[in-house]
Amino acid sequence: MNTESSAGEVWFADLGMAVKSRPVLVLAYPSSDDARALVIVAPLTSQIRGMRGEVEIGKPRWLPKRSAVNVQGLASFDRHALFRRMGRLDTAAMDKVKAALRDILNL
């Protein structure tokens, strides 16, 4: 039971049997004129290594642990896999995520 999401929101996503459900940062949510109805996300992790490709976001009140966005783990899947909105990153954190994406993708 998903409602429409937007970039910057963190949702809990059901990633299937092989991978556990986990929080993901929504980077792009499909619109009606997109070729596919796929949401593009980056997973969150609490196993912070302090390396390139991670953006530390601290411990927002809606997460149980200190976490980071793993911009190297980009994924796309059906938007219906998002099942619970957890919160939203603030503008400063999203700016860091965007910078890390530009860096890792050499944009």
Side-chain angles (χ1 to χ4, degrees):
M1 181 167 75
N2 167 9
T3 61
E4 197 165 305
S5 177
S6 63
E9 291 182 345
V10 174
W11 282 69
F12 215 68
D14 178 3
L15 303 178
M17 302 252 316
V19 182
K20 66 180 181 177
S21 297
R22 67 177 312 120
V24 296
L25 172 64
V26 174
L27 299 171
Y29 191 83
S31 66
S32 59
D33 59 345
D34 286 344
R36 304 282 184 272
L38 299 175
V39 61
I40 301 170
V41 303
L44 271 62
T45 181
S46 60
Q47 306 222 331
I48 301 169
R49 297 180 179 95
M51 301 184 79
R52 181 175 177 237
E54 288 181 346
V55 178
E56 289 193 52
I57 59 169
K59 192 207 161 299
R61 62 179 166 69
W62 35 266
L63 283 175
K65 300 179 182 178
R66 269 184 66 240
S67 297
V69 177
N70 174 8
V71 298
Q72 287 184 303
L74 297 180
S76 61
F77 48 76
D78 185 282
R79 68 183 188 265
H80 295 103
L82 300 176
F83 66 88
R84 188 179 79 227
R85 184 181 186 276
M86 299 177 73
R88 173 180 282 284
L89 292 189
D90 61 30
T91 303
M94 275 305 292
D95 287 345
K96 289 178 184 176
V97 169
K98 290 174 186 177
L101 284 165
R102 285 190 297 271
D103 175 56
I104 209 77
L105 297 173
N106 199 27
L107 298 174

